[in-house]
């Protein structure tokens, strides 16, 4: 009988889910607002994303996203020598910002996130849907971790989640007060 051996991607996904759902269901400190678990057939990649907000502040969201390419998955499954399979990690924060104060808000968001996540590249994207509220933009601030993660970073998951929650709290206190 052949046993199913979960991939790095599967193990990390379950670890993030378990801890975040505990914070939602048991602690009540966050609310899970969305979840994606996708296999992209055209390039045989996997993506998992889980979105959440502080229970008392649903207007600011965080999303933790894992991505594994076909190269990562095949290197792991086939146990290719010299390859280091893993997953890309992205953490995004979403908040509405005033059109007239968008520049200032972006600077504040940059300062807040760089203080909590020093050395992690940050990309902010402002957008709005044509025809809707012209006085605000949606700011998506994405932290792009440059190295792949694997099961060796499993112990870092509580700290990543803690930093994400701290980021939500700081964004709330600095931008929504």
């Amino acid at each position: 009988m052949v046993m199913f051996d979960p991939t790095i991607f599967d193990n990390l996904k379950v670890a993030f889910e378990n801890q975040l759902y505990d914070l939602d269901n048991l602690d009540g400190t966050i609310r899970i607002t969305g979840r994606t678990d996708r296999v992209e057939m055209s390039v045989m990649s996997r993506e998992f994303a889980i979105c959440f907000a502080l229970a008392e502040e649903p207007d600011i969201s965080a999303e933790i996203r894992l991505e594994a390419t076909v190269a990562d998955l095949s290197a792991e499954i086939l146990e290719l020598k010299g390859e280091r399979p893993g997953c890309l990690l992205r953490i995004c924060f979403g908040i509405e910002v005033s059109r007239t104060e968008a520049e200032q808000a972006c600077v504040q968001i940059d300062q807040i996130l760089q203080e909590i996540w020093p050395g992690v590249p940050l990309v902010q994207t402002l957008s709005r849907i044509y025809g809707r509220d012209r006085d605000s933009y949606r700011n998506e601030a994405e932290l792009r971790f440059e190295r792949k993660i694997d099961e060796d970073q499993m112990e870092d998951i509580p700290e990543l989640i803690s930093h994400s929650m701290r980021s939500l709290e700081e964004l709330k206190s600095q931008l929504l007060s």
Side-chain angles (χ1 to χ4, degrees), residues 30-42:
I30 66 168
R31 294 286 172 253
I32 303 292
T33 59
R35 185 180 173 284
T36 303
D37 195 351
R38 178 177 298 134
V39 176
E40 180 58 55
M41 298 300 287
S42 64

Side-chain angles (χ1 to χ4, degrees), residues 70-124:
V70 69
D72 290 314
L73 295 168
S74 62
E76 178 181 6
I77 293 167
L78 299 173
E79 298 178 7
L80 298 177
K81 298 251 189 261
E83 296 293 319
R84 192 173 190 301
C87 299
L88 285 176
L89 173 67
R90 306 274 191 247
I91 301 178
C92 305
F93 300 94
I95 185 172
E96 295 293 318
V97 296
S98 163
R99 181 179 60 81
T100 57
E101 298 173 7
E103 267 318 301
Q104 181 184 356
C106 288
V107 170
Q108 283 183 284
I109 291 167
D110 185 72
Q111 290 170 345
I112 291 165
L113 295 178
Q114 289 302 317
E115 180 182 317
I116 297 170
W117 306 87
V120 179
L122 174 67
V123 174
Q124 293 186 62

